[in-house]
Amino acid sequence: MTVTDDSIIRLRGVTKEFVRGGERLRVLQSLDLDVKRATFQALMGPSGSGKSTLLNLMAGLDRPTSGSIEIDGKRIDQMSEGQLAAWRANSVGFVFQSYNLLPVLTAVENVELPLLLTPVAANERRRRAQTALRVVGLDDRMDHYPRQLSGGQEQRVSIARAIVTDPLLIVADEPTGDLDRTSADEILTLLETLNENMGKTIIMVTHDPAAAERAGVTLHLDKGRLKE
Amino acid sequence: MTFASLAARNILRNKLRTFLTVMGVGIAVMTFLLLRTVISAWTAAADFAAKDRVVTRHKVTFVMQLPKRYIDKIRQMPDIKSATWANWFGAKDPKNDREFFATFAIDPSSYFEVYDEIDIPADQLAAFKADKSGVIVGDVLAKKMGWQVGQDLTLESGIYPAPDGTEWKFTIQGIYTTSARSVDRSTLFLQWDYMNDSLPEVRRDQIGWVVSRVGDASKTADRGLAIDKVFDDEDTQTLSQDERTFNTSFLAGFSSVLNAIDLVSVVILVIMTLVMGNTIAMGVRERTSEYGTMRAIGFMPKHIVFFVLGESIVLGALGGAVGVLLGYPFIERGLGRWIEENLGGFFPYFRVPPGWAVVAFFLAMLLGLLAALLPARQAAKIKVTDALRRVV
Ligand SMILES: Nc1ncnc2c1ncn2[C@@H]1O[C@H](COP(=O)(O)OP(=O)(O)OP(=O)(O)O)[C@@H](O)[C@H]1O
Ligand SMILES: [Mg+2]
């Protein structure tokens, strides 16, 4: 359990295969990867190269076919489904390409959602959600529904939802994929701020070289292997 | 925000669909209630039967008759307080032969002693007893046919030919009422002697059945057995039953109809369950990516199950409430009163059986739960990564 360096994520020999129609598809080939604490890393690569698959493994949404995944000293590849769900609730913030806000909830309620799984009291939940929305600059949109927000604003709500539980790690799968340049820049600036001011470790999948530039480190994935 | 408020939001999400489903369930619940009421009303006469009355009829079938002298034998038996007899006269108004009503030829001096829940003004009863061709009719029947005391009636009987070979002529001498639920308010009573005296010699002195009142209501069944024993060695044997059993066996002729209604009421519930199941399944399918998102955030399959089942139970409860709130007053106030007035011969007491409104409501809720079991299982089983891939 002792971490000698300051790696927060440590992958060793991670292989992921999918079985589709009786055929085995090897998407990730014995990957080794160390991600340093409080870094902002971009993950690039051609479509179908396995970026989302890798991100899902690091976020505890899926388990590797073989190899080990250690995050902040915990072997998440050995956890049960229930343990993983609880671990995700505590340790990971998710940002999706299409925001994935619940349409029936207002901005502040969407941000509050992950806190429902914690013992935090109702008024404290609301207070924390409001704080998170303030961080992403949406204090004036608290009671708007997702359909009343622009794409950029929706993505900011989803970032607020990702940070409200104060996770170790934020994973973002093409967070600017659906946004115009200006909104994309705002989101990237926001992620930078979270990384620099709050010390969050962020892994972001992107196709956009301009987006990748904003991250400190860029990983390239090709045919199931990491390059550079 | 809480788990419950999140579940509630989903119910209000597609208002039209929710409205249609709730109305569908509501109408099903209402129909269910109505059918249960029909079944209960049909057997109500049996349920409200007097406990101290024994009906004695021909052992083979109540269509066959008994010798008149049996009444005297029964009257002499111990613990028989009073006894009377009647024949099914089977008359109709030839001008209005679609209207069905029961016609009994009775003994005027003893019948209303045995059936003391039938109320007749004393002067009218006296007039009836004094007039051999007099009749007494139920108030509901009189109202429906527009009959008045003192009016002459001409009836046809399919069983007993009229004295002059054409039609029976009567005079209405009285109108009876009753507060007892067991008594049909659409019956016509005529004098048994009038009928008997006009029959050919061979058909005389035959009675349809005997009704006796016993002193000890807890021994009614035993008294019945004792009566049958007396006639065991005679050519014509008897079958005596307490009034409730007798009414039930009379109704047994309708049992296939009742069974059909029973079945339909169950089928309606099945259809209602399928309708709810369909709505829930549609909702689950549409929300796959939302459930995926929630699972990613850390919600467990049990939480998803809670949302799906909760939504369906609430749908069932709403539908059940609509069905009961519309159906109960509709049956109790509107339809039921109309049926009692107009179809009293079949349904003297048409009311929602006690407790069934509550049963219907909880059934709707329970079936809501049942309807959602499969969709909930599906929603809980989805793989998070698969559900999220579907977003794009
Ligand atoms: N659940 C699954 N079952 C079967 N095959 C899968 C599954 N998930 C991913 N794959 C396959 O694995 C490969 C990598 O998929 P992945 O989504 O990781 O690619 P990606 O790099 O994120 O691509 P994109 O840039 O288009 O998002 C693809 O060939 C995909 O079809
Ligand atoms: Mg991808």
Side-chain angles (χ1 to χ4, degrees):
Chain A
M1 291 293 257
T2 46
V3 185
T4 46
D5 60 1
D6 56 354
S7 290
I8 189 170
I9 304 176
R10 199 194 273 259
L11 272 64
R12 290 294 176 268
V14 168
T15 295
K16 180 67 182 179
E17 290 174 350
F18 291 109
V19 181
R20 202 164 41 180
E23 231 177 291
R24 286 212 304 192
L25 183 71
R26 179 165 290 194
V27 177
L28 300 177
Q29 291 256 37
S30 46
L31 284 188
D32 294 334
L33 173 66
D34 288 273
V35 173
K36 286 204 169 36
R37 199 176 287 272
T39 52
F40 181 9
Q41 310 213 351
L43 181 54
M44 295 193 77
S47 183
S49 57
K51 304 181 296 293
S52 298
T53 305
L54 178 57
L55 198 70
N56 288 345
L57 289 178
M58 292 191 285
L61 289 176
D62 207 352
R63 273 176 291 196
T65 311
S66 62
S68 67
I69 301 176
E70 195 179 300
I71 300 199
D72 200 32
K74 296 198 179 80
R75 283 286 299 271
I76 64 165
D77 59 295
Q78 293 176 334
M79 289 184 183
S80 69
E81 284 289 343
Q83 288 170 321
L84 265 182
W87 176 80
R88 287 197 303 268
N90 276 313
S91 316
V92 189
F94 290 88
V95 180
F96 304 95
Q97 177 173 356
S98 34
Y99 332 127
N100 292 22
L101 300 175
L102 300 196
V104 293
L105 300 182
T106 61
V108 71
E109 288 168 339
N110 262 291
V111 176
E112 226 184 299
L113 189 65
L115 294 174
L116 280 186
L117 296 164
T118 66
V120 178
N123 50 355
E124 176 64 11
R125 285 204 297 264
R126 180 53 56 106
R127 206 188 58 73
R128 287 193 198 174
Q130 287 165 343
T131 306
L133 277 173
R134 223 163 276 134
V135 169
V136 300
L138 279 181
D139 8 6
D140 55 341
R141 292 286 189 279
M142 304 251 183
D143 297 319
H144 285 53
Y145 285 91
R147 62 169 186 280
Q148 299 166 328
L149 298 172
S150 72
Q153 288 170 333
E154 279 196 78
Q155 194 59 300
R156 282 195 271 160
V157 174
S158 108
I159 290 171
R161 181 179 65 186
I163 60 173
V164 75
T165 54
D166 195 21
L168 289 170
L169 178 67
I170 293 173
V171 296
D173 198 341
E174 302 186 36
T176 57
D178 285 359
L179 298 176
D180 61 46
R181 192 72 257 162
T182 318
S183 306
D185 281 337
E186 283 171 15
I187 295 300
L188 291 165
T189 305
L190 186 54
L191 290 175
E192 263 173 2
T193 315
L194 294 179
N195 171 242
E196 284 164 11
N197 297 355
M198 299 170 77
K200 297 290 169 210
T201 308
I202 302 176
I203 318 259
M204 173 180 73
V205 169
T206 185
H207 280 290
D208 177 8
E213 249 169 50
R214 308 285 290 267
V217 184
T218 303
L219 304 163
H220 288 278
L221 195 61
D222 196 12
K223 298 198 178 78
R225 293 180 190 277
L226 280 169
K227 297 195 296 187
E228 283 160 71
Chain B
M1 199 205 24
T2 59
F3 276 97
S5 64
L6 175 53
R9 296 286 177 84
N10 272 329
I11 290 171
L12 294 174
R13 156 183 228 162
N14 194 329
K15 293 197 179 62
L16 178 66
R17 186 197 292 166
T18 302
F19 173 79
L20 291 175
T21 306
V22 166
M23 288 320 281
V25 171
I27 289 169
V29 167
M30 202 170 139
T31 311
F32 174 77
L33 216 50
L34 182 61
L35 293 179
R36 296 321 304 183
T37 307
V38 169
I39 292 173
S40 131
W42 215 314
T43 48
D47 286 343
F48 295 123
K51 292 186 174 57
D52 61 348
R53 277 197 291 251
V54 183
V55 182
T56 303
R57 49 116 162 147
H58 194 288
K59 191 170 185 177
V60 179
T61 154
F62 60 80
V63 178
M64 294 173 79
Q65 301 190 319
L66 306 171
K68 166 121 191 306
R69 59 188 168 79
Y70 278 23
I71 183 78
D72 304 319
K73 274 206 167 172
I74 290 173
R75 278 177 173 157
Q76 281 156 22
M77 291 183 60
D79 200 36
I80 301 294
K81 285 198 326 195
S82 56
T84 189
W85 73 92
N87 286 40
W88 179 260
F89 187 68
K92 270 195 279 195
D93 181 351
K95 293 189 297 266
N96 209 348
D97 65 358
R98 287 259 197 89
E99 292 292 353
F100 169 85
F101 51 91
T103 43
F104 292 160
I106 56 155
D107 174 37
S109 59
S110 61
Y111 195 86
F112 299 111
E113 258 168 52
V114 174
Y115 287 96
D116 59 1
E117 67 267 50
I118 296 177
D119 301 323
I120 311 165
D123 56 326
Q124 294 183 4
L125 183 58
F128 172 60
K129 286 179 175 170
D131 176 6
K132 211 174 172 188
S133 64
V135 293
I136 286 187
V137 298
D139 59 337
V140 171
L141 179 65
K143 196 175 157 205
K144 187 167 69 178
M145 307 295 274
W147 290 343
Q148 312 277 334
V149 175
Q151 181 179 337
D152 289 333
L153 279 186
T154 311
L155 299 178
E156 275 173 0
S157 166
I159 304 170
Y160 298 102
D164 58 4
T166 56
E167 284 166 335
W168 288 90
K169 297 201 167 35
F170 299 105
T171 309
I172 298 173
Q173 294 295 0
I175 290 177
Y176 73 86
T177 59
T178 180
S179 52
R181 295 160 171 180
S182 53
V183 174
D184 171 29
R185 284 158 68 190
S186 295
T187 299
L188 180 146
F189 296 109
L190 60 126
Q191 287 211 24
W192 186 84
D193 281 342
Y194 182 41
M195 176 199 87
N196 193 55
D197 292 350
S198 56
L199 289 176
E201 194 64 42
V202 282
R203 286 189 67 185
R204 278 191 203 166
D205 294 333
Q206 299 284 314
I207 59 179
W209 60 90
V210 175
V211 187
S212 322
R213 259 189 124 137
V214 304
D216 182 350
S218 67
K219 300 249 164 60
T220 310
D222 296 342
R223 301 292 172 260
L225 291 175
I227 292 172
D228 293 343
K229 199 142 192 278
V230 168
F231 302 112
D232 242 5
D233 301 328
E234 303 260 358
D235 285 347
T236 305
Q237 281 123 43
T238 60
L239 176 66
S240 299
Q241 293 165 315
D242 61 86
E243 189 171 279
R244 187 179 192 289
T245 315
F246 175 78
N247 287 351
T248 312
S249 72
F250 180 75
L251 288 166
F254 296 108
S255 69
S256 55
V257 177
L258 287 182
N259 288 342
I261 294 175
D262 212 351
L263 185 69
V264 170
S265 77
V266 173
V267 168
I268 281 172
L269 293 184
V270 172
I271 293 172
M272 175 181 103
T273 308
L274 294 178
V275 167
M276 280 196 281
N278 184 49
T279 304
I280 295 295
M282 261 198 288
V284 165
R285 216 176 309 121
E286 287 168 1
R287 281 174 228 159
T288 303
S289 77
E290 286 173 36
Y291 292 142
T293 306
M294 292 175 74
R295 289 286 305 282
I297 286 172
F299 284 84
M300 309 259 193
K302 66 173 186 209
H303 295 122
I304 307 296
V305 167
F306 166 84
F307 286 122
V308 177
L309 294 187
E311 184 176 342
S312 193
I313 291 173
V314 171
L315 265 187
L318 288 176
V322 166
V324 169
L325 290 180
L326 291 182
Y328 194 81
F330 172 68
I331 298 170
E332 285 289 299
R333 307 252 163 76
L335 184 72
R337 300 295 70 73
W338 185 88
I339 284 180
E340 283 178 17
E341 292 284 311
N342 293 282
L343 296 168
F346 293 105
F347 301 114
Y349 184 73
F350 197 88
R351 278 161 206 261
V352 177
W356 275 88
V358 180
V359 168
F361 174 77
F362 282 106
L363 260 179
M365 251 170 92
L366 184 75
L367 294 177
L369 174 73
L370 204 72
L373 285 182
L374 233 82
R377 212 176 99 100
Q378 260 176 354
K381 270 200 332 201
I382 52 169
K383 254 196 104 211
V384 186
T385 48
D386 290 344
L388 289 173
R389 284 166 76 83
R390 282 216 228 164
V391 176
V392 200

